[in-house]
Amino acid sequence: RLFPFGRGLVHDYWAANVWALYLFASRVATVAFRRIPIPDDIRSLVQPFIPFPEPTPGLVAIILLLGLVPTIIYAWKVGTSSLKRWWQLNSFIPAMFFVHGVVFSSFSAFMLGFHVHEKAIMTAIIPLTLLATTSCYSARLFIRTSYLGIFALLPLQFRTEELLLKVALYVTWLSGAIFTLESVVPKAKGNETLLTLFDYIAFFIMTCLLLFMEVIHPIVFLPSGRLEFLPLMATSVACGIGLLYCWMESSVIMIVTATKR
């Protein structure tokens, strides 16, 4: 269970990470390869790579290690700097960097790990709660990672009688988190808000996905057995794109924190 290499690259329901986007791109490339007219010489050249080859556990382990390199480098810099200049360095910076490093490392394990379960995003969201009130940027990262990561978990409650409860809990919790952080987080500008255009676009996409997943798909596609797993794939891909952005954002915040003096 710790090293599920025999179970394949991804879980049956793709976790919203880099490999979900990789497999989705492979599916799109396969369909395009079959339907788009391509010269025979180019087709024979490309055909061995369609669908995309599945990365081996060893390759995934190397990619994950490379994903952790920024944390390793800046942990070394912050650690050596705090030892050499312990009488000058603000002790708050190494402590803050440690939490940011944990968040980024957990994020990297989720985004790049082999056969990651979708619930593993909680390993990044939970330590992010320690940073949510420290700055406007950390608060945004917490909100975005939370609403994207938790939305990707909603298909796990698939029964009809669970629909109202899971949506009500999700909307209530998200509204409360945003309202609370808007009240307590210091803003870089006086009239600045935590939600940006990115968030409103994400809310619109998630609303459309929820309607498709819970209303349109069961009525239009499910009775005939067509595209049974389309809602799961759409949810994984949409949330995977958003979480990829959050992962990059967490790396930037971690590096900025590490370089403060």
Side-chain angles (χ1 to χ4, degrees):
R1 289 184 179 275
L2 289 175
F3 305 99
F5 297 139
R7 300 184 184 181
L9 178 64
V10 294
H11 195 261
D12 291 337
Y13 166 38
W14 300 350
N17 60 9
V18 167
W19 303 122
L21 303 180
Y22 177 82
L23 292 178
F24 176 71
S26 178
R27 297 280 179 92
V28 173
T30 301
V31 173
F33 184 74
R34 290 173 181 171
R35 298 187 178 183
I36 297 176
I38 302 175
D40 291 339
D41 53 345
I42 298 179
R43 181 176 292 273
S44 60
L45 185 65
V46 174
Q47 190 168 7
F49 304 100
I50 302 294
F52 297 166
E54 181 173 318
T56 63
L59 178 60
V60 173
I62 293 172
I63 293 173
L64 175 56
L65 182 61
L66 292 175
L68 295 172
V69 165
T71 309
I72 297 171
I73 292 174
Y74 284 97
W76 179 267
K77 289 183 178 181
V78 171
T80 53
S81 179
S82 62
L83 286 174
K84 293 178 180 178
R85 302 169 51 213
W86 60 268
W87 65 90
Q88 295 177 342
L89 189 67
N90 184 356
S91 61
F92 182 66
I93 293 175
M96 285 287 291
F97 171 81
F98 176 79
V99 184
H100 281 291
V102 169
V103 169
F104 180 76
S105 299
S106 300
F107 233 135
S108 298
F110 175 78
M111 296 300 292
L112 300 173
F114 192 91
H115 197 83
V116 173
H117 200 281
E118 58 275 4
K119 292 191 290 290
I121 189 60
M122 300 304 294
T123 60
I125 293 176
I126 291 173
L128 257 177
T129 60
L130 301 174
L131 303 170
T133 60
T134 58
S135 71
C136 183
Y137 304 105
S138 296
R140 284 192 185 123
L141 179 61
F142 170 74
I143 291 173
R144 289 169 180 169
T145 306
S146 297
Y147 69 64
L148 290 166
I150 296 174
F151 185 85
L153 304 182
L154 294 185
L156 297 179
Q157 289 80 43
F158 56 88
R159 296 183 180 88
T160 304
E161 58 269 23
E162 296 170 335
L163 174 59
L164 180 61
L165 177 63
K166 70 180 182 182
V167 173
L169 285 174
Y170 179 77
V171 172
T172 302
W173 175 85
L174 181 60
S175 302
I178 293 172
F179 175 80
T180 303
L181 290 174
E182 285 280 11
S183 304
V184 301
V185 171
K187 308 293 195 309
K189 301 176 183 178
N191 58 349
E192 189 176 25
T193 60
L194 294 180
L195 299 182
T196 64
L197 180 61
F198 173 91
D199 302 295
Y200 293 115
I201 293 175
F203 290 154
F204 175 76
I205 293 173
M206 289 191 300
T207 302
C208 294
L209 270 176
L210 186 65
L211 289 173
F212 176 77
M213 181 169 52
E214 302 292 348
V215 180
I216 298 174
H217 185 266
I219 295 175
V220 178
F221 297 100
L222 204 55
S224 61
R226 291 182 300 138
L227 304 175
E228 182 179 358
F229 296 102
L230 180 59
L232 298 179
M233 183 177 69
T235 302
S236 296
V237 171
C239 293
I241 294 172
L243 288 174
L244 180 64
Y245 175 82
C246 293
W247 181 38
M248 296 295 100
E249 193 175 19
S250 70
S251 69
V252 172
I253 296 175
M254 178 190 69
I255 293 171
V256 170
T257 303
T259 53
K260 283 183 180 179
R261 291 293 182 268

